């Protein structure tokens, strides 16, 4: 039997729809719905609730099955930029003054996502490995570093203009006369001019210095110190996350090509000829070898282990790092079908490199590079020895000789490019609910959980606020009591919040709450005392959502 009850809290009246049932010889009461603050409104809502309760069970089941109808939605880079601004992920820097091309500011949600990407990368590549050490190098360093690295001499692009559409662009020197504009027009060769890519500034009275165009060189200049201080043994790597700056001729495609960006980079050192001792992850991906490119054929899907076995990939270290980087993305929920590995053609290889592979992603604007996996040999250490007159060789305990290690791979990933991959991969639309659902991996989600009191009433709010205070010690969570419960769900779906926690009528009596899953909209009821432990396991992917609480 259902009936309306009136409760008075702090002098204010609230109406609820309750139901009584006989369970085990006892009559128990259950709150079905909150009806509002006045009797007329309460009567109207009660009729609506009771009408829905009287619908045939089969129709109700069908309705439950259709709660969610998620479909992946392909959007353009421009649409993603608009979404990121609207939802507080990314803003153009200095926008109130018209903006400055190639520079971006990250809002609250964008900053959290960016930090979570870096945290996940550092945990996977550094903390979970015994063969890796960390470094945080300076943005401005001695200008001789850039002379030794070759940047002062050759780090430049050609500024060209299309004969047909008159659009400016940049080219590598090797591309002049070989590539065309996206409109199909040829570039004017006679007016092409060299454009230096390093930003210059001054330090005190000492003269001209540069903002670093990459993070790698500080790894080489600090190589020997890190090796000795951390008591490393070959093979090992040095990892760094930090800002880099390039004065791009034509920054474009939102965050993809910027003038200020962050890199997550590893320089991995081995003895010359040293074999890879690690198991190559079992990853299946599109392989675009130089031979296939020269024949004008399409890339072939195969396991990276097979590509190494068949001689398509020449170095075991390259196979290992390509598979490892793909595994990192895969473990965070990215669809591997949108990746390929592309081998550099002979005319693309640097003079010090035997082989080089790019890890590429299929963006809405085409296949583009995410990472380059190249062997640099001892080129960089040798150059810095030559210019600094310092010995960067190390003593090898096995051979009892001094050696100069080789860099066999330098997995370098732009944080902003990874940001784009995760955003494009997560953008879904729910046709049933008619709202965007950002299906970010919970480890990356800017907000891990949203806590709602189902009604604006002190008893409900107190429990929700206490939960917020407790969870916020470990994660970024939000407390939200504004709007209908459905609207609050939708707001959090759109920004990728994986779990919504609701304090309802039963919470007051039973000291439990509901947890709603973003992707399925299913809910489980768990005790408040167990909530923190359950949420941790859900975020870490250790438990199945439906099996860790009472499904409602």
């Amino acid at each position: 039997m259902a009936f309306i009850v009136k409760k008075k809290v702090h002098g204010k009246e609230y109406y609820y729809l309750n139901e009584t049932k006989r369970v085990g010889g006892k009559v128990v009461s259950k709150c079905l719905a909150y009806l509002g603050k006045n009797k007329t409104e309460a009567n109207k809502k009660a009729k609506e609730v009771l009408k829905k309760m009287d619908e045939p069970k089969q129709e109700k089941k069908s309705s439950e099955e259709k709660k969610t109808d998620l479909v992946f939605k392909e959007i353009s880079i421009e649409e993603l930029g608009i979404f990121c601004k609207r939802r507080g992920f990314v803003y153009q820097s200095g926008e109130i003054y018209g903006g400055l091309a190639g520079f971006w500011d990250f809002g609250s949600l964008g900053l959290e996502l960016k930090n979570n990407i870096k945290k996940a990368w550092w945990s996977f590549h550094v903390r979970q490995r015994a063969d890796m050490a960390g470094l945080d190098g300076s943005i401005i360093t001695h200008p001789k570093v850039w002379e030794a690295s070759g940047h002062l001499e050759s780090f430049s692009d050609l500024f060209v203009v299309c004969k047909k559409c008159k659009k400016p662009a940049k080219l590598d020197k090797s591309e002049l006369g070989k590539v065309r504009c996206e409109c199909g027009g040829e570039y004017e060769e006679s007016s092409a001019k060299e454009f230096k890519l390093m930003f210059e500034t001054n330090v005190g009275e000492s003269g001209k210095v540069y903002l670093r165009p990459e993070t790698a060189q500080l790894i080489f200049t600090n190589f020997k110190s890190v090796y000795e201080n951390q008591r490393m043994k070959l093979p090992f790597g040095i990892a760094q996350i930090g800002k880099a700056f390039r004065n791009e001729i034509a920054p474009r495609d939102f965050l993809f090509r910027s003038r200020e960006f962050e890199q997550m980079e590893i320089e991995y050192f081995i003895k010359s000829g040293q074999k890879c001792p690690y198991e190559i992850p079992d990853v299946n991906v599109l392989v675009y070898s130089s031979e296939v490119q020269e024949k004008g054929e399409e890339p072939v899907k195969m396991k990276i282990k097979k590509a190494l076995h068949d001689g398509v990939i020449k170095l075991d270290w390259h196979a290992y790092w390509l598979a490892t980087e793909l595994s990192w993305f895969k473990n965070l929920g990215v669809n591997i079908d949108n990746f390929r590995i592309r081998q550099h053609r002979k005319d693309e290889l640097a003079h010090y490199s035997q082989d080089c592979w790019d890890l590429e992603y299929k963006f809405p604007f085409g296949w583009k590079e995410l990472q380059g996996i190249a062997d640099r040999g001892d080129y960089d250490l040798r150059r810095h020895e030559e210019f600094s007159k310092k010995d960067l060789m190390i003593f090898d305990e096995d051979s009892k000789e001094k050696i100069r290690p080789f860099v066999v791979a330098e997995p370098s990933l732009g944080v902003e490019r990874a940001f784009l991959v995760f955003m494009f991969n997560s953008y879904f639309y729910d046709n049933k609910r008619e709202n965007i659902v950002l299906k970010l991996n919970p480890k990356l989600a800017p907000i891990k959980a949203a806590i709602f009191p189902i009604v604006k009433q002190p008893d409900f709010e107190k429990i929700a606020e206490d939960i917020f205070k407790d969870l916020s010690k470990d994660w970024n969570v939000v407390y939200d009591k504004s709007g209908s419960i459905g609207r609050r769900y939708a707001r959090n779906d759109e920004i990728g919040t994986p779990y919504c926690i609701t304090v309802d009528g039963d919470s007051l009596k039973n000291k439990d709450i509901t947890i709603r899953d973003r992707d399925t909209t299913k809910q489980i009821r768990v005790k408040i005392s167990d909530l923190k432990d359950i949420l941790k396991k859900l975020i870490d992917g250790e438990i199945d959502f439906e099996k860790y609480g009472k499904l409602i």
Side-chain angles (χ1 to χ4, degrees), residues 269-331:
F269 300 91
I270 66 167
K271 285 186 281 190
S272 178
Q274 190 172 19
K275 293 294 183 182
C276 176
Y278 306 122
E279 178 69 21
I280 297 171
D282 192 21
V283 182
N284 208 30
V285 70
L286 286 171
V287 178
Y288 203 20
S289 68
S290 59
E291 182 181 351
V292 168
Q293 293 173 61
E294 287 165 7
K295 291 179 179 177
E297 298 174 354
E298 293 297 313
V300 179
K301 198 160 195 176
M302 67 172 71
K303 291 186 176 180
I304 289 182
K305 283 184 180 179
K306 180 171 171 42
L308 175 65
H309 179 269
D310 292 351
V312 178
I313 299 175
K314 296 182 177 66
L315 296 176
D316 52 359
W317 285 105
H318 286 184
Y320 170 74
W321 279 109
L322 285 165
T324 297
E325 296 310 291
L326 281 164
S327 295
W328 181 72
F329 278 107
K330 185 178 180 180
N331 293 343

Side-chain angles (χ1 to χ4, degrees), residues 71-99:
V71 292
F72 176 71
K73 186 174 182 182
E74 292 186 13
I75 56 172
S76 67
I77 190 72
E78 293 79 16
E79 288 172 320
L80 181 61
I82 293 168
F83 172 80
C84 284
K85 179 183 176 182
R86 181 172 63 83
R87 296 308 299 160
F89 283 89
V90 185
Y91 313 116
Q92 187 168 30
S93 189
E95 188 174 20
I96 62 171
Y97 296 102

Side-chain angles (χ1 to χ4, degrees), residues 103 139 155 197-199 211-214 243-248 258-261 263:
F103 296 94
I139 286 172
F155 193 58
L197 295 177
M198 284 201 294
F199 284 102
L211 301 185
R212 66 183 182 193
E214 65 176 30
K243 292 269 190 178
F245 305 83
R246 294 181 185 177
N247 194 13
E248 294 282 355
S258 303
R259 289 172 169 144
E260 176 185 345
F261 53 93
Q263 287 181 302

Side-chain angles (χ1 to χ4, degrees), residues 72 75-77 80 361 363-364 420-427:
F72 176 71
I75 56 172
S76 67
I77 190 72
L80 181 61
Y361 185 78
F363 289 99
L420 292 178
V421 168
F422 289 117
M423 290 295 280
F424 278 123
N425 183 79
S426 303
Y427 199 94

Side-chain angles (χ1 to χ4, degrees), residues 14 113 133 347 363 381 437 482 519 550:
Y14 299 89
L113 175 55
D347 60 350
F363 289 99
L381 291 178
V437 178
S482 175
D519 300 341
K550 183 181 178 183

